[in-house]
Amino acid sequence: MTELIFATHNLHKLQEIQSLLPNGIKLVSLDEYGIMQEIPETGATLEENALIKCKFVYDKTGQPCFADDTGLEVEALDGRPGVYSARYASLKKNDGENIEKLLYELQEKPDRKARFRTVIQLVWDDTYIQFEGIVNGKIAMEPTGYSGFGYDPVFIPEGHERTFAEMELEEKNTMSHRARAFEKLVQWLSENI
Ligand code: IMP
C-alpha cells in the first residue's frame, strides 16, 4: 500500500477524494505526519501556491504528495479575487464579507461572467505534474441558498439557474472545478502507478 499525502488540514476534502482513489493508494493527512501548521500561501498564482504547499510537504517527508489551490476568477474584475479569494475582504477569511465586497464591486458592471479554477500539484518520485479543473458561470445579483461554503451562494454554473449553494453536494460534484481537477489526478494515478 503506497501512502499519498494530501497537503491539507481539511478532513472533509480528504474524505471526498479517498473514495475515488485507485486500490493500493492510501491517502494520509498532514496531521498523520506531524505537520500541524498552516503552510504559508505566498504565491502570486494558484499554480505557485499549489507548488509551494506540495514542495513544503515533499521536502519534509520525501513521500508522494499533492496540494490544491482554488480561486474565483471574475471577468469584469480582471480575474480577481483569484488567488486572493479566501482573504478578499480582509485577512479574517470571512465568506459573508467576501461576497458583500464582490457584489459591491460588480454593482455597475453588466458583465457578470466568472469561473472557479482549481489547480492540483502532484509530486511522485520526483515527477512534478499539475492538473486543472474549471467550471464557468456567472455571479448572481444577490446570495441564494445555504449549502456549500465560500462564494457558493452567488455562483451560478453555466447551463443552470440555481447557485451552487442551492444544490446538494452530489450535484455540485458532477460539475465543480475541484471535482474536475481531482478526476484528472485520479486518472493519472490509475494510469501511472
Ligand atoms: P481553497 O484553495 O480550496 O482553500 O479555496 C480558497 C477560497 O476560494 C475559499 O476560501 C473560498 O472562498 C473559495 N472557494 C474555493 N472553492 C470553492 C467552492 O467550491 N465554492 C465556493 N467558494 C470556493
Side-chain angles (χ1 to χ4, degrees), residues 10 13 41 46 53 68-72 82-87 93 95 98 116-118 148-153 155 164 172 176-178:
N10 185 331
K13 280 190 188 174
E41 298 187 13
L46 300 176
K53 288 190 276 185
D68 70 334
D69 203 31
T70 294
L72 174 69
V83 71
Y84 305 109
S85 293
R87 298 177 178 82
K93 291 193 181 180
D95 289 343
N98 286 339
F116 274 117
R117 197 163 71 89
T118 293
F149 70 104
Y151 297 89
D152 279 348
F155 185 81
F164 267 167
K172 180 181 167 186
S176 89
H177 44 300
R178 200 170 4 265

Side-chain angles (χ1 to χ4, degrees), residues 100-165:
E100 219 173 286
K101 176 169 177 182
L102 178 67
L103 293 180
Y104 178 77
E105 293 213 304
L106 283 178
Q107 245 175 0
E108 307 295 327
K109 314 246 192 232
D111 174 8
R112 302 183 74 91
K113 279 197 222 92
R115 65 181 193 175
F116 274 117
R117 197 163 71 89
T118 293
V119 173
I120 295 176
Q121 174 74 56
L122 171 75
V123 56
W124 193 290
D125 286 343
D126 287 332
T127 299
Y128 282 80
I129 177 163
Q130 285 194 334
F131 308 94
E132 184 188 59
I134 290 175
V135 58
N136 290 308
K138 64 179 178 193
I139 302 300
M141 297 306 289
E142 57 187 36
T144 324
Y146 299 99
S147 328
F149 70 104
Y151 297 89
D152 279 348
V154 289
F155 185 81
I156 303 174
E158 207 166 69
H160 295 262
E161 286 178 4
R162 290 166 299 138
T163 65
F164 267 167

